[in-house]
Amino acid sequence: QDVVNKIAAGEIIVAPVHALKELIENAVDAGSTSLEVLAKDGGLKLLQITDNGHGIDKDDMSILCERFTTSKLKKFEDLHSINTYGFRGEALASISHIAHLTVTTKTKASNCAWRAKYDGGKLAPAKPGQSADPKPTAGRNGTQITVEDLFYNVPTRRRAFRSPSDEYNKIIDMVGRYSIHCQGVAFSCKKHGDSGTSIAIQAAATTMDRIRQIHGSSVANELIEYAAADDRYGFSAKGWATNANYHIKKTTLLIFINNRAVESSNIKKAIEQTYSTFLPKNGHPFVYLSLEIDPQRVDVNVHPTKREVNFLNEDEIIQAICENIRDKLAAVDT
Ligand code: ADP
Ligand code: MG
């Protein structure tokens, strides 16, 4: 059973960034307005996320890493919801099978923070010989998740990582995506040992500010805002995209569906097609898209490592979005 769990976890979490994405989503779901990420060796040695959200009840700490026991899964309809896209109550469980996991958390109602270690889905002693119960400790409201020695017990996976800096770049990319999307949330991302931060976004920053800080003024100065919605297809979309003055060699596409970062090759194709009449040959845009779709219409029956998402009326929805982008591009063009 344990081997099965370990293998399953290793398939879900293929790189540190996959664990990080789930931890960011948990922190955002907890209503955090501040999120700090710290990574060592590209997240393989250490991946730490500190938030100021509502925290975890001490009583829930014993079951935190059990599969399919977590709060969201109690509602059956959530099984069909994009909000559970990915692990479906398995993120912390999976991580505990392939890393050393420590959770420190404090709710407003508690007068101290509680710290617990997990191993293989269960509470584990902080030090050999000690009891495995959560221990009281000092701490602020919120949660700190510390993932150490990721894949320590999956040597084949560990050997696949040649370059910690590649892994750290993926981490920066993911933190960058969520920092642009999550209005009202402060983000920081730091490499262990560095004096400065790779990303530092204030809570008050606008979407434009955020894009400027992550992708630079050359992008931010050429942005147009677009939007589309249609009740018939249960969606509304909005975002920012570069105008025809801007182009780069590769498309930068940040897609969020129901507040989850996802990939969609169909959206990508359509957007590149839309821009092809406005940009020079080999010129590509930057596009940020936030799409809200009735969760019942989103297909979550995909493998978690496949970030591809499908939804009903995909053609109609993508067309409506691209039409609005095209209109805005044409308006700026003339
Ligand atoms: P899921 O998010 O799908 O429920 P996870 O394993 O990612 O499964 O998280 C399990 C549960 O732990 C969450 O449902 C939530 O109740 C709690 N949790 C995890 N991370 C945090 C956090 N940063 N702040 C508050 N609660 C959290
Ligand atoms: Mg989660």
Side-chain angles (χ1 to χ4, degrees):
Q1 183 64 31
D2 228 45
V3 173
V4 172
N5 279 327
K6 202 175 89 179
I7 292 169
E11 272 173 18
I12 290 167
I13 299 164
V14 175
V17 68
H18 297 134
L20 174 79
K21 180 176 188 286
E22 296 296 324
L23 298 176
I24 293 176
E25 289 170 1
N26 284 346
V28 172
D29 287 348
S32 307
T33 57
S34 162
L35 220 155
E36 294 168 21
V37 176
L38 177 66
K40 188 174 181 179
D41 285 354
L44 288 160
K45 186 79 202 129
L46 170 76
L47 192 58
Q48 186 170 68
I49 287 93
T50 308
D51 71 47
N52 66 348
H54 57 54
I56 300 164
D57 243 44
K58 192 218 164 200
D59 293 345
D60 291 337
M61 289 185 89
S62 61
I63 57 152
L64 194 63
C65 291
E66 279 174 21
R67 291 216 140 106
F68 306 119
T69 55
T70 55
S71 53
K72 283 188 207 166
L73 280 164
K74 287 180 186 140
K75 287 195 287 167
F76 173 74
E77 62 268 36
D78 280 342
L79 284 171
H80 300 284
S81 149
I82 182 68
N83 296 326
T84 58
Y85 174 74
F87 293 88
R88 289 178 269 178
E90 285 189 275
L92 292 176
S94 296
I95 292 168
S96 78
H97 280 280
I98 50 170
H100 297 119
L101 174 65
T102 307
V103 177
T104 307
T105 189
K106 181 183 174 304
T107 61
K108 250 195 216 147
S110 172
N111 50 20
C112 68
W114 294 92
R115 173 172 296 160
K117 275 193 134 185
Y118 297 88
D119 186 18
K122 291 193 273 296
L123 282 171
K127 292 197 185 93
Q130 289 184 347
S131 82
D133 304 324
K135 302 278 184 302
T137 174
R140 289 175 298 170
N141 290 345
T143 302
Q144 181 174 71
I145 308 277
T146 305
V147 180
E148 286 167 290
D149 305 313
L150 188 60
F151 305 124
Y152 75 96
N153 54 356
V154 197
T156 48
R157 183 71 74 206
R158 215 174 49 236
R159 273 197 296 273
F161 295 102
R162 296 268 148 66
S163 156
S165 68
D166 284 354
E167 298 310 312
Y168 187 63
N169 286 337
K170 291 183 208 165
I171 287 170
I172 294 179
D173 177 77
M174 190 58 73
V175 177
R177 281 169 194 258
Y178 278 89
S179 357
I180 287 170
H181 181 70
C182 298
Q183 277 283 357
V185 183
F187 280 84
S188 80
C189 183
K190 201 175 146 165
K191 192 164 147 183
H192 182 90
D194 276 7
S195 53
T197 48
S198 311
I199 290 177
I201 303 279
Q202 305 286 311
T206 63
T207 304
M208 270 261 236
D209 294 337
R210 289 164 187 261
I211 294 174
R212 185 181 308 278
Q213 286 192 55
I214 307 282
H215 292 276
S217 294
S218 58
V219 173
N221 291 345
E222 308 293 349
L223 289 174
I224 48 174
E225 196 173 13
Y226 65 92
D230 194 328
D231 282 346
R232 283 175 302 170
Y233 309 128
F235 89 98
S236 76
K238 58 182 179 168
W240 294 84
T242 44
N243 62 37
N245 294 329
Y246 176 90
H247 54 90
I248 30 167
K249 283 209 199 85
K250 248 182 85 189
T251 302
T252 304
L253 187 52
L254 317 178
I255 309 173
F256 282 78
I257 297 185
N258 298 348
N259 304 312
R260 294 315 197 224
V262 298
E263 303 286 336
S264 159
S265 47
N266 290 337
I267 293 178
K268 184 164 193 237
K269 234 182 285 160
I271 282 179
E272 290 188 328
Q273 173 68 30
T274 302
Y275 271 90
S276 65
T277 57
F278 292 92
L279 300 185
K281 204 171 177 290
N282 300 323
H284 295 280
F286 165 97
V287 177
Y288 158 61
L289 167 65
S290 174
L291 184 51
E292 304 260 3
I293 310 178
D294 173 0
Q296 312 272 341
R297 294 169 153 266
V298 182
D299 182 16
V300 296
N301 286 327
V302 290
H303 194 272
T305 55
K306 282 195 207 140
R307 307 290 166 198
E308 284 275 334
V309 164
N310 293 101
F311 43 90
L312 287 179
N313 297 110
E314 211 165 296
D315 290 347
E316 289 86 352
I317 291 174
I318 293 174
Q319 201 189 323
I321 293 166
C322 286
E323 238 161 58
N324 192 262
I325 293 178
R326 193 178 301 119
D327 289 351
K328 298 282 162 68
L329 284 172
V332 172
D333 216 26
T334 48

